[in-house]
Amino acid sequence: GIDGIAGTQALMVAAFGGWLLLVVGSMELAILCFLLAASVAGFLIWNWEPAKIFMGDVGSVFLGYIFAMLAIVCESQGSIPLVIWMVILGVFIIDATLTLIRRIIQGEEWGKPHRTHVYQLAVQYGFKHKQVVIGVALINIILFTLAYLMLLLNNVMFLIGLGTFALLIILYLVLYRRFADHVSKRKEQGSLGKISLLNDEAAASKE
């Protein structure tokens, strides 16, 4: 990924999830979320750009597992519906899912490492790591607001959820096309520049 993004996402989701659980009266799970948020905050201090330590797949997969289990437990207890957790985690769910589908369709070896998540392309486009992370955090705030509305407006919960995911998909497609096209053109220009330089060197050696 990029510096600070997984930690920021985990911190915000855990803190907001804990607050929602307090609202619905699930104290034990709320405490668990707040403890998780505090743990991630300690890590994020050192993972912020420029990062001194890194989370890696071991950390990110473990966090994903914790949030998945929290969502399932909340759904089974009737405290916070699964669809609300999906909206709270919407940024990573949409990016990871659509990126995987796109790579499979394009015939790429999807199990291999790559740098084509939208947030990675944003850095290659020219944004700093912290700028991308702050942008994701702002999107999270909007998602959290919608998630709270879903909790309040139970009769239109799924309608709000569907609308939210539709907007996230559109945002993903727009940003991916913008960033990917720019990065691709820059790589092509770089390749042409290298070829031109090699041709010039070859011509000079003949002279």
Side-chain angles (χ1 to χ4, degrees):
I2 63 175
D3 293 351
I5 193 164
T8 298
Q9 183 76 356
L11 171 61
M12 295 186 72
V13 170
F16 181 73
W19 179 76
L20 274 187
L21 286 163
L22 280 181
V23 170
V24 299
S26 186
M27 181 64 69
E28 295 84 0
L29 288 176
I31 292 173
L32 177 62
C33 282
F34 289 137
L35 288 174
L36 177 60
S39 300
V40 176
F43 166 82
L44 188 58
I45 293 173
W46 303 100
N47 184 239
W48 194 254
E49 184 184 17
K52 298 176 180 64
I53 58 174
F54 303 93
M55 183 178 294
D57 289 341
V58 174
S60 59
V61 170
F62 178 67
L63 283 172
Y65 174 79
I66 290 176
F67 285 123
M69 292 307 300
L70 272 171
I72 292 170
V73 170
C74 288
E75 173 72 23
S76 64
Q77 290 184 349
S79 54
I80 298 178
L82 180 62
V83 66
I84 290 182
W85 277 104
M86 291 177 67
V87 167
I88 295 171
L89 291 160
V91 169
F92 272 16
I93 289 176
I94 292 298
D95 180 73
T97 303
L98 294 186
T99 299
L100 177 61
I101 292 172
R102 175 182 52 75
R103 296 186 71 212
I104 292 173
I105 291 174
Q106 292 177 349
E108 298 179 25
E109 295 187 44
W110 55 271
K112 288 189 174 182
H114 65 100
R115 296 181 61 203
T116 58
H117 287 289
V118 166
Y119 54 85
Q120 293 172 321
L121 291 172
V123 171
Q124 296 173 57
Y125 182 83
F127 290 105
K128 295 180 179 179
H129 289 220
K130 64 183 67 176
Q131 291 176 320
V132 177
V133 173
I134 291 171
V136 170
L138 292 174
I139 295 173
N140 278 338
I141 292 172
I142 296 172
L143 293 179
F144 295 169
T145 303
L146 291 170
Y148 183 57
L149 285 175
M150 291 169 69
L151 190 65
L152 295 177
L153 306 174
N154 189 58
N155 56 328
V156 291
M157 178 191 302
F158 287 99
L159 187 61
I160 297 174
L162 285 173
T164 301
F165 275 101
L167 290 174
L168 283 173
I169 290 170
I170 293 171
L171 180 62
Y172 173 92
L173 294 174
V174 170
L175 292 178
Y176 175 80
R177 181 163 186 176
R178 178 179 179 181
F179 296 151
D181 286 351
H182 178 83
V183 171
S184 178
K185 288 177 182 178
R186 194 165 62 183
K187 286 181 179 178
E188 288 176 3
Q189 290 171 355
S191 298
L192 290 174
K194 288 180 180 178
I195 292 171
S196 177
L197 180 61
L198 289 172
N199 289 337
D200 290 343
E201 290 177 352
S205 64
K206 289 179 179 179
E207 294 175 358

